[in-house]
Amino acid sequence: MAILRVDHLSKSFGATTVLTDIGLRVEKGEILIVIGPSGSGKTTLLRCIQCLEYPDRGTIMLDGVPFGRGDGPGRAWSPDPPRVLDAKRRRIGFVFQRFNLFANLTALDNVSIGPRRVLGVPSREARARAGAVLARLGLAEHAGKLPSQLSGGQQQRVAIARALSMDPLLMLFDEPTSALDPELVDEVLQTMRQLAASGMTMIVVTHELDFAREVGDRVVFMDGGRIVEEGSPAVVFNQPHEERTRAFLRRLLRTGAPHHVRRDAPSHGGAELGPDATAERRA
Amino acid sequence: MDTAELSSRFDFALIVESIPFLLRGAVYTVEVSLLAISFGLVLGWLLGLAAVSGLRWLRAITWAYVQFIRGTPLLVQIFLIYFGLPVFGIDIPAFWSGVIALGLNSGGFQAEIVRAGIESIDRGQTEAARSIGMSRVQTLLFILVPQAIRRVIPPLTNELITLTKSSSLLSAIAALELTHAGQLIIARTFAPFEIYTAVAALYLVMIALLSRVSALLERRVFVNY
């Protein structure tokens, strides 16, 4: 059974339609890669799955449990009551493009605060576990440091550890390396490989094509708020059926400009304006 | 005018003579201000948190309160409490009227400072907290408030300085604070220049101490990140 099922998901910001009738299945242990140009709705899709953004319509089912209410293409989606939503949210880990580590807490506290405050794990035990997670990711020596004292790559790895600390069923990565200096990208990808190898279910929005090819089980190409093409990395990257996919990949490989703006495609906010020069260089 | 003339006009002896009485006024001012500051801080944080809460009616009440406090003169607020409340049989002595009026007034302004401080924290902090399952309240208490505290210390210090100086308005309800103590001496000696100079100097000392405490707080206590 699919661990995540998304059906008929739609989302608009005002008059701008960002997602149209998205359907998605993710199996347990599967690594799903999401690619697509800027403004294609990748980030919004991830944010809707965790209800950081409320969808307008559609259903989201995590491990058989619905997120919010709404079914069928015609009916509006409505959120769960706050407590229920909080309890469901923590079963999905979210890794942000800009890390968003808690600026007032050390690395160790960033990782232990969830279990302590949300799950009620005693402080000593939570800290011990957080220390173990950090050690596993090679961050033991940084446990006592504040985010401002860590490099971008280290911050992102701590952020991954923080998401892991809640023992999630599914991890969402929103361009986790786009905000990093080129030389810091590999340590984060390495951590994600490690996570993938451990059997974690992951949805990864990325422009790192090598990583996608190597780790991904399945690739989804989005454009203009729709899923345009879907398949194994070998098919989507090497023999894409859709012209739009081919055009996007050509651009990514040749000019390294994944975020070219299509005049007819709505863009939503500045969230995806990261320094993507890295992506093309590695691709 | 030469120095001799100046000293003949400026009566230092009178200042020295008046110091004990002025100091008693200064102590009164410090007492009123400290109590009002404590009251205002508690009220300001409660209102500030209410202003960013998810409850619309709570935000509406806070908004209305802040509008009232900002939109009416402090002197009128003091009169409302000291002269207005006795109409309803609530008779509060000048000292406590001062504490309440200054505290209520300052609380309104502090609420705005606290609200702005919390809202200035990057939205990503909230999203990260919510994404690990924290509730709104937990996010506020464990993530946003600790980061906001450091940002609001400088504007809060300004507000506390304003409060301390505004306590001079309590002279209008004959509270025996520093300014009123000075007025009483002037009524007897007809030496406004000397006495108001001394009064001003005493305010300056009090404010300097307050600024010092706040600078220490900013640097030592909350400087962990």
Side-chain angles (χ1 to χ4, degrees):
Chain A
M1 190 190 70
I3 202 155
L4 177 76
R5 261 183 52 197
V6 174
D7 286 301
H8 306 299
L9 189 77
S10 298
K11 171 72 179 170
S12 312
F13 292 111
T16 311
T17 304
V18 183
L19 295 174
T20 308
D21 199 25
I22 300 283
L24 207 60
R25 298 276 181 286
V26 182
E27 302 295 327
K28 193 167 167 44
E30 192 179 22
I31 315 293
L32 178 69
I33 305 288
V34 181
I35 57 171
S38 174
S40 61
K42 306 168 307 245
T43 293
T44 306
L45 174 60
L46 289 197
R47 292 170 60 83
C48 280
I49 290 173
Q50 212 196 20
C51 298
L52 286 176
E53 222 65 84
Y54 291 163
D56 297 331
R57 304 182 184 290
T59 50
I60 303 163
M61 296 272 272
L62 180 70
D63 202 22
V65 180
F67 263 54
R69 255 159 290 168
D71 53 346
R75 286 173 59 181
W77 185 92
S78 61
D80 292 305
R83 277 161 181 274
V84 178
L85 181 56
D86 292 341
K88 287 178 181 172
R89 251 194 201 125
R90 68 172 190 244
R91 307 180 69 197
I92 300 179
F94 201 107
V95 177
F96 298 86
Q97 189 177 352
R98 300 201 175 276
F99 334 130
N100 293 344
L101 285 183
F102 303 131
N104 57 323
L105 301 178
T106 62
L108 187 74
D109 286 337
N110 262 280
V111 181
S112 65
I113 192 168
R116 273 168 55 210
R117 298 300 186 185
V118 178
L119 304 177
V121 177
S123 179
R124 183 177 302 190
E125 194 186 329
R127 282 160 191 273
R129 268 197 249 166
V133 175
L134 287 176
R136 206 170 71 217
L137 299 186
L139 292 160
E141 58 181 312
H142 304 299
K145 293 185 186 168
L146 291 162
S148 55
Q149 299 167 311
L150 297 172
S151 74
Q154 290 161 349
Q155 287 190 57
Q156 193 59 298
R157 286 151 68 205
V158 172
I160 292 172
R162 174 177 65 184
L164 281 177
S165 73
M166 300 304 288
D167 204 9
L169 286 170
L170 168 69
M171 291 271 284
L172 308 178
F173 293 82
D174 182 17
E175 298 197 35
T177 58
S178 294
L180 295 174
D181 289 335
E183 72 272 18
L184 301 177
V185 169
D186 278 333
E187 57 176 294
V188 172
L189 293 183
Q190 196 49 44
T191 301
M192 291 169 65
R193 280 190 194 97
Q194 202 181 330
L195 201 54
S198 75
M200 176 60 71
T201 312
M202 297 159 61
I203 302 180
V204 185
V205 172
T206 186
H207 295 299
E208 299 286 339
L209 294 192
D210 288 340
F211 173 83
R213 241 188 274 265
E214 173 201 334
V215 177
D217 295 312
R218 202 149 49 87
V219 179
V220 161
F221 171 69
M222 286 180 71
D223 195 15
R226 293 173 189 273
I227 292 181
V228 173
E229 181 156 5
E230 188 175 343
S232 70
V235 171
V236 175
F237 289 136
N238 301 335
Q239 307 122 26
H241 299 298
E242 299 290 330
E243 175 49 35
R244 276 192 280 178
T245 317
R246 278 198 288 273
F248 171 75
L249 288 172
R250 262 203 310 276
R251 241 184 351 262
L252 194 57
L253 291 170
R254 193 189 58 215
T255 68
H259 284 165
H260 99 121
V261 180
R262 296 173 61 231
R263 210 164 301 160
D264 54 335
S267 151
H268 61 296
E272 294 195 343
L273 296 176
D276 285 297
T278 23
E280 56 196 63
R281 215 169 301 140
R282 345 192 122 250
Chain B
M1 97 181 89
D2 59 25
T3 12
E5 201 181 340
L6 179 69
S7 63
S8 75
R9 286 196 187 184
F10 196 92
D11 190 348
F12 282 102
L14 180 60
I15 291 185
V16 173
E17 240 171 73
S18 310
I19 288 242
F21 191 68
L22 288 180
L23 276 180
R24 268 167 55 196
V27 168
Y28 189 109
T29 292
V30 167
E31 286 172 350
V32 163
S33 299
L34 282 182
L35 283 167
I37 283 173
S38 315
F39 177 33
L41 275 174
V42 172
L43 184 65
W45 276 92
L46 287 178
L47 288 171
L49 292 177
V52 296
S53 79
L55 302 171
R56 185 168 301 189
W57 59 270
L58 204 52
R59 288 204 305 267
I61 291 174
T62 311
W63 180 85
Y65 182 81
V66 170
Q67 291 305 311
F68 174 76
I69 291 296
R70 280 206 300 209
T72 56
L74 174 57
L75 188 58
V76 173
Q77 294 164 12
I78 293 169
F79 285 163
L80 264 178
I81 287 171
Y82 187 68
F83 296 120
L85 288 185
V87 174
F88 304 99
I90 305 169
D91 211 338
I92 306 170
F95 180 86
W96 289 106
S97 290
V99 169
I100 292 168
L102 289 173
L104 288 176
N105 180 275
S106 185
F109 284 96
Q110 291 185 43
E112 278 295 279
I113 294 171
V114 168
R115 181 189 60 76
I118 290 172
E119 286 178 351
S120 76
I121 308 290
D122 179 48
R123 210 162 61 99
Q125 297 284 305
T126 302
E127 290 184 349
R130 303 309 299 276
S131 80
I132 57 170
M134 281 197 199
S135 67
R136 278 186 80 105
V137 172
Q138 286 175 323
T139 304
L140 205 52
L141 291 184
F142 303 132
I143 307 300
L144 299 182
V145 168
Q147 295 185 45
I149 284 179
R150 204 172 150 214
R151 290 193 195 184
V152 301
I153 287 180
L156 275 186
T157 304
N158 272 337
E159 171 51 32
L160 300 185
I161 287 173
T162 303
L163 182 154
T164 304
K165 290 192 294 190
S166 301
S167 69
S168 67
L169 287 174
L170 298 178
S171 59
I173 57 170
L176 249 185
E177 48 73 53
L178 179 53
T179 303
H180 191 53
Q183 287 171 334
L184 290 178
I185 297 176
I186 292 162
R188 194 162 40 81
T189 61
F190 306 107
F193 188 61
E194 286 84 347
I195 299 303
Y196 280 135
T197 302
V199 165
L202 284 171
Y203 276 114
L204 203 55
V205 171
M206 288 190 277
I207 301 299
L209 285 175
L210 193 58
S211 305
R212 188 97 197 95
V213 170
S214 129
L216 280 177
L217 274 181
E218 196 180 348
R219 244 176 296 147
R220 302 270 158 81
V221 184
F222 297 113
V223 82
N224 62 335
Y225 65 91

